[in-house]
Amino acid sequence: MTDEIYKPGLEGVIAGDTDIAAVEQTSLSYRGYGIGDLATKTTFEEVAHLLLYGELPNSSQLSEFRSTLAQYRALPPELVQALRLIPTDVGMMDVLRTGVSMAGHFDPVKGDSADDLRRRSVWLMAVTGGVVSARHRLITNKEPLDPKPGLSHAAQILYQALGEDPDETATRLLDLTLILYAEHEYNASTFATRVVASTLSDMVSGIVTGIGTLKGPLHGGANEAAMNMLLQFDSPAAASAWIHEAFVKKHKVMGFGHRVYKNGDHRAFILEDELRTLAAKKDQMNWMEIYDAIKDPMVNEKKIFPNVDYPCGLTYYLLGLPVDMYTPLFVCSRVTGWCAHFIEQATNNRLIRPRSRYTGPAAREVTPIGQRS
Ligand code: CMC
């Protein structure tokens, strides 16, 4: 092959153009807006509109967006029935992958124009939130709840999962994490989704692929893995001993490191501030001491910084959310980024089909079966 360009893991390789997000060492922006600005001045629904339609909504566009989302919230009864049939020990990400695939057979949006795809994206936002909440109810021996009119997307997920009107802090912090998780250019799951779009396959297949890719602990699964790590420790001393042993054994520490960010993840800085306030408010500073007992040596001794999944795991934990919902909640957010990328790819498409470098045996001849040893 001539002009061979090869980087393991495609590290640093530009694999396409995008107008949706820019990830830089010193900044993260969605369609030109800095993540800090979005985190303090918008809601998740506004960010979803920005990602899908290219601009932040005005008030009437936002109400239309929210009413479209509300219109799609009730899950088809056949889908709820399918969720009941899945064994209760099946992981929530697997259930979500199946749930979205099943929902695809009841897709209320017909057509594949850019407008149809945007509308289908809003429907997929509703479906992912609905499946996560319904599944949580079913595995805790409760019946799924009907959506409650008037709630924000974050509040609706909490209400339908936990069965109570969420408090203002829980709603705001879930909303914030949904904003922070919504989009991150060509990360693994988004790239996988774009590959699906590039074959002219359908959007539901793209989102199912995104869910399967996000599940891995090197990607979205890290928020659960990070919290499960913290749950092993009953004191900062135990955490400190563990991390120093992990250094010796060269173990990966979940919720740390990033393919692009080498001096810290902007989303983690934003969320960690909120987490400290939350822990103080809930009188749970013991958890911050354990959190810091892992973080400080990682940063000071290894120069490896927390990514967004590290503060997110503990934030969700202090909000009382079950650990198996953390990565599915990431899906409820990132579905907007995936859909925006699917649309961008589908509306300006070239098949994504890279090459590989062959490293197998040299050319050889087939030995007839009777003569093989
Ligand atoms: N714990 C311990 N060492 C690490 C970590 C970590 N979390 N991350 C990187 N390193 C070390 C790594 O061992 C390597 O050391 P050496 O040069 O001595 O072999 C060096 O740092 C470079 O790491 P790398 O694995 O080559 O970096 P990468 O760009 O391939 O990996 C990563 C990025 C996210 C896969 C990796 O940092 C990692 O496995 N982190 C833990 C999983 C995680 O938190 N994932 C969430 C990613 S961000 C948000 C999301 O998508 O959800």
Side-chain angles (χ1 to χ4, degrees):
M1 240 194 305
T2 53
D3 296 335
E4 194 176 292
I5 303 168
Y6 172 56
K7 291 282 183 72
L10 300 183
E11 182 167 0
V13 171
I14 303 293
D17 293 329
T18 185
D19 291 347
I20 305 168
V23 174
E24 306 287 347
Q25 289 300 334
T26 53
S27 63
L28 163 63
S29 56
Y30 300 167
R31 298 201 186 273
Y33 294 106
I35 191 68
D37 215 12
L38 291 169
T40 48
K41 295 185 194 153
T42 67
T43 60
F44 175 60
E45 284 90 326
E46 290 169 71
V47 166
H49 187 286
L50 172 69
L51 295 173
L52 295 170
Y53 290 87
E55 294 296 342
L56 286 168
N58 60 28
S59 302
S60 67
Q61 288 166 328
L62 180 60
S63 5
E64 194 184 328
F65 186 85
R66 292 189 60 171
S67 75
T68 307
L69 190 52
Q71 171 198 327
Y72 291 138
R73 280 198 201 286
L75 298 177
E78 295 87 345
L79 170 53
V80 177
Q81 181 56 18
L83 297 179
R84 290 181 200 280
L85 298 177
I86 301 173
T88 49
D89 61 350
V90 171
M92 182 81 96
M93 283 295 278
D94 296 344
V95 173
L96 187 51
R97 188 195 59 221
T98 301
V100 169
S101 190
M102 174 89 183
H105 306 309
F106 302 88
D107 183 350
V109 181
K110 306 298 168 212
D112 284 301
S113 68
D115 271 345
D116 297 329
L117 292 176
R118 284 188 200 101
R119 206 170 174 87
R120 184 166 296 119
S121 308
V122 181
W123 166 71
L124 282 162
M125 284 174 69
V127 166
T128 49
V131 169
V132 171
S133 299
R135 173 67 178 178
H136 176 70
R137 303 287 297 171
L138 291 171
I139 57 175
T140 51
N141 295 317
K142 297 183 190 109
E143 276 304 294
L145 288 173
D146 289 336
K148 188 170 191 171
L151 297 182
S152 69
H153 197 54
Q156 188 71 246
I157 293 171
L158 292 171
Y159 165 74
Q160 283 190 258
L162 306 177
E164 295 169 359
D165 281 336
D167 65 29
E168 194 272 331
T169 304
T171 303
R172 191 182 65 77
L173 284 177
L174 179 58
D175 192 74
L176 173 64
T177 62
L178 296 180
I179 291 172
L180 299 177
Y181 269 144
E183 164 54 8
H184 218 223
E185 52 115 292
Y186 276 39
N187 59 87
S189 56
T190 300
F191 188 62
T193 301
R194 286 192 79 124
V195 172
V196 175
S198 86
T199 69
L200 305 185
S201 183
D202 65 289
M203 184 177 251
V204 171
S205 297
I207 300 313
V208 169
T209 300
I211 294 170
T213 312
L214 191 82
K215 174 184 164 188
L218 294 190
H219 193 6
N223 58 9
E224 292 182 19
M227 191 60 224
N228 284 326
M229 170 185 69
L230 294 180
L231 284 169
Q232 301 172 71
F233 312 125
D234 56 7
S235 67
S240 176
W242 183 89
I243 190 73
H244 287 97
E245 200 182 322
F247 289 168
V248 174
K249 293 184 174 163
K250 295 193 177 301
H251 283 166
K252 277 268 169 94
V253 184
M254 294 299 148
F256 286 83
H258 196 271
R259 173 56 64 78
V260 180
Y261 301 130
K262 297 304 174 194
N263 305 308
D265 176 336
H266 314 293
R267 304 165 299 176
F269 295 131
I270 294 170
L271 192 54
E272 191 178 290
D273 285 348
E274 296 281 351
L275 169 60
R276 280 190 202 284
T277 309
L278 176 70
K281 192 170 161 192
K282 292 203 172 258
D283 204 13
Q284 299 272 355
M285 286 309 282
N286 56 320
W287 274 112
M288 287 319 295
E289 287 166 16
I290 291 173
Y291 177 99
D292 288 333
I294 298 289
K295 181 191 151 188
D296 292 346
M298 282 297 284
V299 171
N300 300 331
E301 297 171 39
K302 293 286 170 189
K303 307 282 176 256
I304 300 174
F305 290 79
N307 58 56
V308 64
D309 288 320
Y310 190 55
C312 189
L314 187 53
T315 303
Y316 285 165
Y317 185 77
L318 295 183
L319 292 178
L321 299 174
V323 177
D324 69 345
M325 264 174 81
Y326 298 2
T327 314
L329 288 172
F330 192 158
V331 172
C332 293
S333 163
R334 185 58 60 84
V335 67
T336 56
W338 290 334
C339 287
H341 278 274
F342 190 99
I343 295 165
E344 190 176 63
Q345 182 70 39
T347 51
N348 185 17
N349 188 46
R350 182 163 169 82
L351 176 72
I352 299 174
R353 199 298 186 195
R355 296 296 313 274
S356 58
R357 191 163 71 186
Y358 180 67
T359 55
R364 50 188 174 160
E365 280 186 16
V366 172
T367 308
I369 189 154
Q371 295 168 27
R372 288 179 220 156
S373 54

Coordinates of all heavy atoms in Angstrom, one line a residue, residues 87-149:
P87 N -34.3 -11.6 31.7 CA -33.9 -12.0 33.1 C -33.4 -10.8 33.9 O -32.8 -9.9 33.4 CB -32.8 -13.0 32.9 CG -33.0 -13.5 31.5 CD -33.6 -12.4 30.7
T88 N -33.8 -10.8 35.2 CA -33.5 -9.6 36.0 C -32.0 -9.4 36.3 O -31.6 -8.3 36.6 CB -34.2 -9.8 37.4 OG1 -33.9 -11.1 37.9 CG2 -35.7 -9.6 37.3
D89 N -31.2 -10.4 36.0 CA -29.7 -10.2 36.2 C -29.0 -9.7 35.0 O -27.8 -9.5 35.0 CB -29.1 -11.5 36.8 CG -29.2 -12.7 35.8 OD1 -29.9 -12.5 34.8 OD2 -28.5 -13.7 36.0
V90 N -29.7 -9.4 33.9 CA -29.1 -8.9 32.7 C -28.8 -7.4 33.0 O -29.6 -6.7 33.5 CB -30.0 -9.1 31.5 CG1 -29.5 -8.3 30.3 CG2 -30.2 -10.5 31.2
G91 N -27.6 -7.0 32.6 CA -27.1 -5.7 32.8 C -28.0 -4.6 32.1 O -28.5 -4.9 31.0
M92 N -28.1 -3.5 32.8 CA -29.0 -2.4 32.2 C -28.5 -1.9 30.8 O -29.4 -1.6 30.0 CB -28.9 -1.2 33.2 CG -29.8 -0.1 32.9 SD -31.5 -0.3 33.3 CE -31.6 0.5 34.9
M93 N -27.2 -1.9 30.6 CA -26.8 -1.5 29.2 C -27.2 -2.5 28.2 O -27.6 -2.1 27.0 CB -25.3 -1.3 29.2 CG -24.8 0.0 29.8 SD -25.4 1.4 29.0 CE -24.2 1.6 27.6
D94 N -27.2 -3.8 28.5 CA -27.7 -4.8 27.5 C -29.2 -4.6 27.3 O -29.7 -4.8 26.2 CB -27.3 -6.2 28.1 CG -25.8 -6.4 28.1 OD1 -25.1 -5.6 27.5 OD2 -25.4 -7.4 28.8
V95 N -29.9 -4.4 28.4 CA -31.3 -4.2 28.3 C -31.6 -2.9 27.5 O -32.5 -3.0 26.6 CB -32.0 -4.0 29.7 CG1 -33.4 -3.7 29.6 CG2 -31.7 -5.3 30.5
L96 N -30.9 -1.9 27.7 CA -31.1 -0.7 26.9 C -30.8 -0.9 25.4 O -31.6 -0.4 24.6 CB -30.2 0.4 27.5 CG -30.4 1.9 27.0 CD1 -31.8 2.3 27.0 CD2 -29.5 2.8 27.8
R97 N -29.8 -1.6 25.1 CA -29.5 -1.9 23.7 C -30.6 -2.7 23.1 O -31.1 -2.4 22.0 CB -28.2 -2.8 23.7 CG -27.6 -3.1 22.4 CD -26.6 -4.2 22.5 NE -27.2 -5.4 23.0 CZ -26.7 -6.2 23.8 NH1 -25.4 -6.1 24.3 NH2 -27.3 -7.3 24.2
T98 N -31.1 -3.7 23.8 CA -32.3 -4.5 23.3 C -33.5 -3.6 23.2 O -34.3 -3.7 22.2 CB -32.5 -5.7 24.2 OG1 -31.4 -6.5 24.3 CG2 -33.7 -6.5 23.7
G99 N -33.7 -2.8 24.2 CA -34.9 -1.9 24.3 C -35.0 -1.0 23.1 O -36.0 -0.8 22.5
V100 N -33.8 -0.4 22.8 CA -33.8 0.6 21.7 C -34.1 -0.1 20.4 O -34.8 0.3 19.5 CB -32.5 1.4 21.7 CG1 -32.4 2.2 20.4 CG2 -32.5 2.4 22.9
S101 N -33.5 -1.3 20.3 CA -33.7 -2.1 19.0 C -35.1 -2.5 18.9 O -35.7 -2.4 17.8 CB -32.8 -3.4 19.1 OG -32.8 -4.0 17.9
M102 N -35.7 -2.9 20.0 CA -37.2 -3.3 19.9 C -38.0 -2.1 19.6 O -39.0 -2.1 18.8 CB -37.5 -3.9 21.3 CG -39.0 -4.2 21.5 SD -39.4 -5.8 21.0 CE -41.1 -5.9 21.3
A103 N -37.7 -0.9 20.3 CA -38.5 0.3 20.0 C -38.5 0.6 18.5 O -39.4 1.2 18.0 CB -37.9 1.4 20.9
G104 N -37.3 0.3 17.9 CA -37.2 0.6 16.5 C -38.3 0.0 15.6 O -38.7 0.6 14.6
H105 N -38.9 -1.1 16.1 CA -40.0 -1.7 15.3 C -41.3 -0.9 15.5 O -42.3 -1.2 14.8 CB -40.2 -3.1 15.8 CG -39.0 -4.0 15.7 ND1 -38.2 -4.0 14.6 CD2 -38.3 -4.7 16.7 CE1 -37.1 -4.8 14.9 NE2 -37.2 -5.2 16.1
F106 N -41.3 0.1 16.4 CA -42.5 0.9 16.6 C -42.2 2.4 16.4 O -42.9 3.2 16.9 CB -43.0 0.7 18.1 CG -43.3 -0.8 18.4 CD1 -42.3 -1.6 18.8 CD2 -44.6 -1.3 18.1 CE1 -42.6 -3.0 19.1 CE2 -44.9 -2.6 18.3 CZ -43.9 -3.5 18.8
D107 N -41.2 2.6 15.6 CA -40.7 4.0 15.3 C -41.9 4.8 14.7 O -42.4 4.5 13.7 CB -39.6 3.9 14.3 CG -39.0 5.3 13.9 OD1 -39.6 6.3 14.3 OD2 -38.0 5.3 13.2
P108 N -42.3 5.9 15.5 CA -43.5 6.6 15.0 C -43.1 7.6 13.9 O -44.0 8.2 13.3 CB -43.9 7.4 16.2 CG -42.6 7.6 17.0 CD -41.8 6.4 16.7
V109 N -41.8 7.8 13.6 CA -41.4 8.8 12.6 C -41.2 8.1 11.3 O -40.4 7.1 11.3 CB -40.1 9.5 13.1 CG1 -39.7 10.6 12.1 CG2 -40.3 10.1 14.5
K110 N -41.8 8.5 10.3 CA -41.6 7.9 9.0 C -40.7 8.8 8.1 O -40.8 10.0 8.3 CB -43.0 7.7 8.3 CG -44.0 6.9 9.1 CD -43.5 5.5 9.4 CE -44.4 4.8 10.5 NZ -43.7 3.9 11.4
G111 N -39.9 8.2 7.3 CA -39.1 9.0 6.4 C -37.7 9.2 6.9 O -37.4 8.9 8.1
D112 N -36.8 9.7 6.0 CA -35.4 9.8 6.3 C -34.8 11.1 5.9 O -33.6 11.2 5.7 CB -34.6 8.6 5.7 CG -34.8 7.3 6.5 OD1 -34.5 7.3 7.7 OD2 -35.4 6.4 5.9
S113 N -35.7 12.1 5.7 CA -35.1 13.5 5.4 C -34.4 14.0 6.7 O -34.6 13.4 7.8 CB -36.3 14.4 5.1 OG -37.0 14.7 6.3
A114 N -33.6 15.0 6.6 CA -32.9 15.5 7.7 C -33.9 15.9 8.8 O -33.6 15.7 10.0 CB -32.0 16.7 7.3
D115 N -35.0 16.5 8.4 CA -36.0 16.8 9.5 C -36.6 15.6 10.1 O -36.8 15.6 11.3 CB -37.2 17.6 8.8 CG -36.9 19.1 8.9 OD1 -35.9 19.5 9.7 OD2 -37.5 19.9 8.2
D116 N -36.9 14.5 9.3 CA -37.3 13.3 9.9 C -36.3 12.7 10.9 O -36.6 12.2 12.0 CB -37.6 12.2 8.8 CG -38.7 12.6 7.8 OD1 -39.6 13.3 8.2 OD2 -38.6 12.2 6.6
L117 N -35.0 12.8 10.5 CA -34.0 12.2 11.4 C -33.9 13.0 12.7 O -33.7 12.4 13.7 CB -32.6 12.2 10.6 CG -32.5 11.2 9.4 CD1 -31.1 11.4 8.8 CD2 -32.7 9.8 9.9
R118 N -34.1 14.3 12.6 CA -34.1 15.1 13.8 C -35.2 14.8 14.7 O -35.1 14.6 15.9 CB -34.2 16.6 13.5 CG -32.9 17.2 13.0 CD -32.9 18.7 12.8 NE -31.8 19.0 11.9 CZ -31.9 19.3 10.6 NH1 -33.1 19.4 10.1 NH2 -30.9 19.6 9.9
R119 N -36.4 14.6 14.1 CA -37.5 14.2 14.9 C -37.3 12.8 15.5 O -37.7 12.5 16.7 CB -38.8 14.2 14.0 CG -40.0 14.4 14.7 CD -41.2 14.7 13.8 NE -42.4 14.7 14.7 CZ -42.9 15.8 15.3 NH1 -42.2 17.0 15.1 NH2 -43.9 15.8 16.0
R120 N -36.8 11.9 14.7 CA -36.5 10.5 15.2 C -35.5 10.6 16.4 O -35.5 9.9 17.4 CB -35.9 9.7 14.1 CG -35.7 8.2 14.5 CD -35.5 7.3 13.3 NE -36.6 7.2 12.5 CZ -36.7 7.5 11.2 NH1 -35.6 8.0 10.6 NH2 -37.8 7.5 10.5
S121 N -34.6 11.6 16.3 CA -33.6 11.8 17.4 C -34.3 12.1 18.7 O -34.0 11.6 19.8 CB -32.6 12.9 17.1 OG -32.0 12.7 15.8
V122 N -35.3 13.0 18.6 CA -36.1 13.4 19.8 C -36.8 12.2 20.4 O -36.8 12.0 21.6 CB -37.0 14.6 19.5 CG1 -37.7 15.1 20.7 CG2 -36.2 15.8 18.9
W123 N -37.4 11.5 19.4 CA -38.1 10.2 19.9 C -37.1 9.3 20.6 O -37.4 8.7 21.6 CB -38.7 9.6 18.6 CG -39.1 8.1 18.9 CD1 -40.2 7.7 19.6 CD2 -38.5 7.0 18.4 NE1 -40.2 6.3 19.6 CE2 -39.2 5.9 18.8 CE3 -37.4 6.7 17.5 CZ2 -38.9 4.5 18.5 CZ3 -37.0 5.4 17.2 CH2 -37.8 4.4 17.7
L124 N -35.9 9.2 20.1 CA -34.9 8.3 20.7 C -34.4 8.8 22.1 O -34.1 8.0 23.0 CB -33.6 8.1 19.8 CG -33.9 7.1 18.7 CD1 -32.8 7.3 17.5 CD2 -33.8 5.7 19.2
M125 N -34.4 10.1 22.3 CA -34.2 10.7 23.6 C -35.2 10.2 24.6 O -34.9 9.8 25.7 CB -34.3 12.2 23.6 CG -33.1 12.9 23.0 SD -33.4 14.7 22.9 CE -33.4 15.2 24.6
A126 N -36.5 10.3 24.1 CA -37.6 9.8 25.0 C -37.5 8.3 25.3 O -37.7 7.9 26.4 CB -38.9 10.2 24.3
V127 N -37.2 7.6 24.2 CA -37.1 6.1 24.4 C -36.0 5.7 25.4 O -36.3 4.9 26.3 CB -36.9 5.4 23.0 CG1 -36.5 4.0 23.2 CG2 -38.1 5.5 22.1
T128 N -34.9 6.3 25.2 CA -33.8 5.9 26.1 C -34.1 6.2 27.6 O -33.9 5.3 28.5 CB -32.4 6.5 25.7 OG1 -32.6 7.9 25.5 CG2 -31.9 5.9 24.4
G129 N -34.6 7.4 27.8 CA -35.0 7.7 29.2 C -36.1 6.8 29.7 O -36.0 6.3 30.9
G130 N -37.0 6.5 28.9 CA -38.2 5.7 29.3 C -37.7 4.3 29.6 O -38.2 3.6 30.6
V131 N -36.8 3.7 28.7 CA -36.4 2.3 29.0 C -35.6 2.2 30.3 O -35.8 1.3 31.1 CB -35.6 1.8 27.8 CG1 -34.9 0.5 28.1 CG2 -36.5 1.6 26.5
V132 N -34.7 3.2 30.5 CA -33.9 3.1 31.7 C -34.8 3.2 32.9 O -34.7 2.3 33.9 CB -32.9 4.3 31.7 CG1 -32.2 4.4 33.1 CG2 -31.9 4.1 30.6
S133 N -35.8 4.1 32.9 CA -36.6 4.2 34.1 C -37.5 3.0 34.3 O -37.7 2.4 35.4 CB -37.6 5.4 34.0 OG -36.8 6.6 33.9
A134 N -38.1 2.5 33.2 CA -39.0 1.3 33.3 C -38.2 0.1 33.7 O -38.7 -0.7 34.6 CB -39.7 1.1 31.9
R135 N -37.1 -0.1 33.2 CA -36.3 -1.3 33.6 C -35.9 -1.2 35.1 O -36.0 -2.2 35.8 CB -35.0 -1.4 32.8 CG -34.0 -2.4 33.2 CD -34.6 -3.8 33.0 NE -33.6 -4.8 33.4 CZ -33.8 -6.2 33.3 NH1 -35.0 -6.6 32.9 NH2 -32.9 -7.0 33.7
H136 N -35.6 0.0 35.6 CA -35.3 0.1 37.0 C -36.5 -0.3 37.8 O -36.4 -1.0 38.9 CB -34.8 1.5 37.3 CG -34.6 1.7 38.8 ND1 -33.5 1.1 39.4 CD2 -35.3 2.3 39.8 CE1 -33.6 1.3 40.7 NE2 -34.6 2.1 41.0
R137 N -37.7 0.2 37.4 CA -38.9 -0.2 38.2 C -39.1 -1.7 38.2 O -39.3 -2.3 39.2 CB -40.1 0.5 37.5 CG -40.1 1.9 37.4 CD -40.3 2.7 38.6 NE -41.6 2.5 39.3 CZ -41.9 2.9 40.5 NH1 -40.9 3.6 41.2 NH2 -43.0 2.7 41.0
L138 N -38.9 -2.3 37.0 CA -39.2 -3.7 36.9 C -38.3 -4.6 37.7 O -38.7 -5.5 38.4 CB -39.2 -4.2 35.4 CG -40.3 -3.6 34.5 CD1 -40.1 -3.9 33.1 CD2 -41.7 -4.2 35.0
I139 N -37.0 -4.2 37.7 CA -36.1 -5.1 38.5 C -36.2 -4.8 40.0 O -35.6 -5.5 40.8 CB -34.6 -5.0 38.0 CG1 -34.1 -3.6 38.0 CG2 -34.4 -5.7 36.7 CD1 -32.6 -3.5 37.7
T140 N -36.9 -3.7 40.4 CA -37.1 -3.5 41.8 C -38.5 -3.9 42.2 O -39.1 -3.3 43.2 CB -36.7 -2.1 42.2 OG1 -37.4 -1.2 41.3 CG2 -35.3 -1.8 42.1
N141 N -39.1 -4.7 41.3 CA -40.5 -5.2 41.6 C -41.6 -4.1 41.7 O -42.5 -4.2 42.5 CB -40.5 -6.1 42.9 CG -39.7 -7.3 42.7 OD1 -39.8 -8.0 41.7 ND2 -38.9 -7.6 43.7
K142 N -41.4 -3.1 40.8 CA -42.4 -2.1 40.8 C -42.9 -1.9 39.3 O -42.1 -2.3 38.4 CB -41.8 -0.7 41.3 CG -41.4 -0.8 42.7 CD -40.9 0.6 43.2 CE -40.3 0.4 44.6 NZ -38.8 0.6 44.5
E143 N -44.0 -1.4 39.2 CA -44.6 -1.2 37.8 C -44.0 0.1 37.2 O -43.9 1.1 37.9 CB -46.1 -1.1 37.9 CG -46.8 -2.5 37.9 CD -46.4 -3.3 36.7 OE1 -46.7 -3.0 35.6 OE2 -45.7 -4.4 36.9
P144 N -43.7 0.0 35.9 CA -43.3 1.3 35.3 C -44.4 2.4 35.5 O -45.6 2.1 35.5 CB -43.2 0.9 33.8 CG -43.0 -0.6 33.8 CD -43.7 -1.1 35.0
L145 N -43.9 3.6 35.5 CA -44.8 4.7 35.8 C -45.1 5.5 34.5 O -44.2 5.6 33.6 CB -44.2 5.7 36.8 CG -44.1 5.2 38.2 CD1 -43.3 6.3 39.0 CD2 -45.5 5.1 38.8
D146 N -46.3 6.0 34.4 CA -46.6 6.9 33.2 C -45.8 8.2 33.4 O -45.5 8.6 34.5 CB -48.1 7.3 33.2 CG -48.9 6.0 32.8 OD1 -48.4 5.1 32.1 OD2 -50.1 6.0 33.2
P147 N -45.4 8.8 32.2 CA -44.7 10.1 32.4 C -45.6 11.1 33.0 O -46.8 11.0 33.0 CB -44.4 10.5 30.9 CG -45.0 9.4 30.0 CD -45.6 8.3 30.9
K148 N -44.9 12.1 33.7 CA -45.7 13.1 34.4 C -45.5 14.4 33.6 O -44.4 14.9 33.4 CB -45.1 13.3 35.8 CG -45.9 14.2 36.7 CD -45.3 14.1 38.1 CE -46.2 14.7 39.1 NZ -45.8 14.4 40.4
P149 N -46.6 15.0 33.1 CA -46.4 16.2 32.3 C -45.7 17.3 33.0 O -45.9 17.5 34.2 CB -47.9 16.6 32.0 CG -48.7 15.4 32.3 CD -48.0 14.6 33.3

